[in-house]
Amino acid sequence: MDNPNSTDIDLEGIDLEEFLAHPHWEVMDSEPDALTRQLPKRANKFWRTTILTWIYLQRGVATFVDLADRLDGVESVSMRKRMLRRVLRSMEKSRLITIVNFPDEEGEAFDEGDEVVGGFSVISITWTGMVWMRRAWNARMSLARTTSLEVAHETICEEEDSIKGNDLYWVENLNGADREGVKVAIREIKAKHPRVNSVFDLGNFQKK
């Protein structure tokens, strides 16, 4: 069954310059933005914030092939692609990204069910993905004051992607169409979590 969040479109007649002028991407505040630029261009694991940051640094749009080539420690190209597909599907389900599939002129073979993400797929950050980025990098900004960015990033990634951790508790109410209700939702979350219970709370308590 096709992924309802993915859209197959034809390149013919598409103004790529206009397409790549991403509607949700925008530069974050100077300090977290500067930190994102210190993140290595390669990694040993496909953490969600790492992927979002790579996309952010390319003005909100990246290709599947570019992202797959950034994983170290896995020699098999097909294994790297399989690992990335799994993470991207999870991120798309959480509405952190959208995936647009362009025609595959080379007819690349996919594993069964993997055709929704392939060599000609373009990965695009969403409005919710930008909210995640601001929260995630504000948290890293706090920890990076007492340790290295590398340690801060890896430590927080462990919690962000942990099954036992707080998985999108602050993003859940952002997935609806009522964006005006977001401020109310955030206030309710803060009221329920007055203490710093996770790395996301560190981001929340940064000055606005």
Side-chain angles (χ1 to χ4, degrees):
M1 186 169 127
D2 291 338
N3 189 324
N5 292 323
S6 296
T7 306
D8 292 314
I9 62 177
D10 196 325
L11 280 173
E12 187 175 353
I14 293 291
D15 185 336
L16 288 182
E17 210 171 292
E18 182 179 343
F19 176 77
L20 295 177
H22 198 279
H24 302 300
W25 178 87
E26 61 181 7
V27 179
M28 295 188 293
D29 291 341
S30 59
E31 191 170 352
D33 178 74
L35 284 178
T36 65
R37 299 177 189 284
Q38 297 178 37
L39 190 71
K41 295 181 179 180
R42 307 187 63 80
N44 293 316
K45 188 168 183 177
F46 284 131
W47 300 110
R48 285 181 289 185
T49 296
T50 299
I51 292 173
L52 282 175
T53 302
W54 288 337
I55 297 172
Y56 167 83
L57 291 172
Q58 296 186 94
R59 302 180 68 84
V61 180
T63 66
F64 174 81
V65 172
D66 173 63
L67 296 176
D69 285 344
R70 293 173 181 249
L71 184 67
D72 288 328
V74 180
E75 293 185 6
S76 169
V77 174
S78 61
M79 180 62 71
R80 289 201 305 266
K81 289 182 177 181
R82 188 174 295 113
M83 292 169 65
L84 179 58
R85 286 183 184 114
R86 187 182 305 120
V87 177
L88 291 178
R89 286 199 189 101
S90 172
M91 293 173 67
E92 186 180 35
K93 184 177 180 181
S94 300
R95 302 190 184 183
L96 299 175
I97 60 169
T98 56
I99 301 171
V100 176
N101 298 314
F102 291 102
D104 187 345
E105 296 176 355
E106 298 178 0
E108 178 181 349
F110 299 100
D111 292 336
E112 184 178 354
D114 282 349
E115 64 276 7
V116 295
V117 188
F120 279 70
S121 295
V122 172
I123 318 303
S124 180
I125 198 167
T126 64
W127 180 82
T128 305
M130 282 302 304
V131 173
W132 173 289
M133 280 291 292
R134 292 188 187 91
R135 298 284 181 81
W137 280 97
N138 277 337
R140 284 158 176 74
M141 188 169 64
S142 293
L143 291 190
R145 290 169 183 156
T146 57
T147 186
S148 69
L149 174 63
E150 181 181 359
V151 170
H153 179 64
E154 184 172 346
T155 300
I156 296 176
C157 278
E158 289 281 359
E159 179 172 345
E160 289 170 342
D161 286 26
S162 171
I163 296 176
K164 297 179 181 179
N166 291 315
D167 191 3
L168 301 181
Y169 79 81
W170 52 266
V171 175
E172 182 179 357
N173 287 323
L174 303 183
N175 285 340
D178 180 17
R179 295 187 181 180
E180 292 301 319
V182 169
K183 292 182 181 179
V184 174
I186 291 175
R187 284 198 296 269
E188 289 177 353
I189 291 170
K190 285 186 176 181
K192 293 177 182 177
H193 302 274
R195 298 180 181 179
V196 178
N197 296 316
S198 79
V199 295
F200 295 111
D201 287 325
L202 291 174
N204 285 340
F205 284 98
Q206 292 297 313
K207 64 180 181 179
K208 304 296 182 181

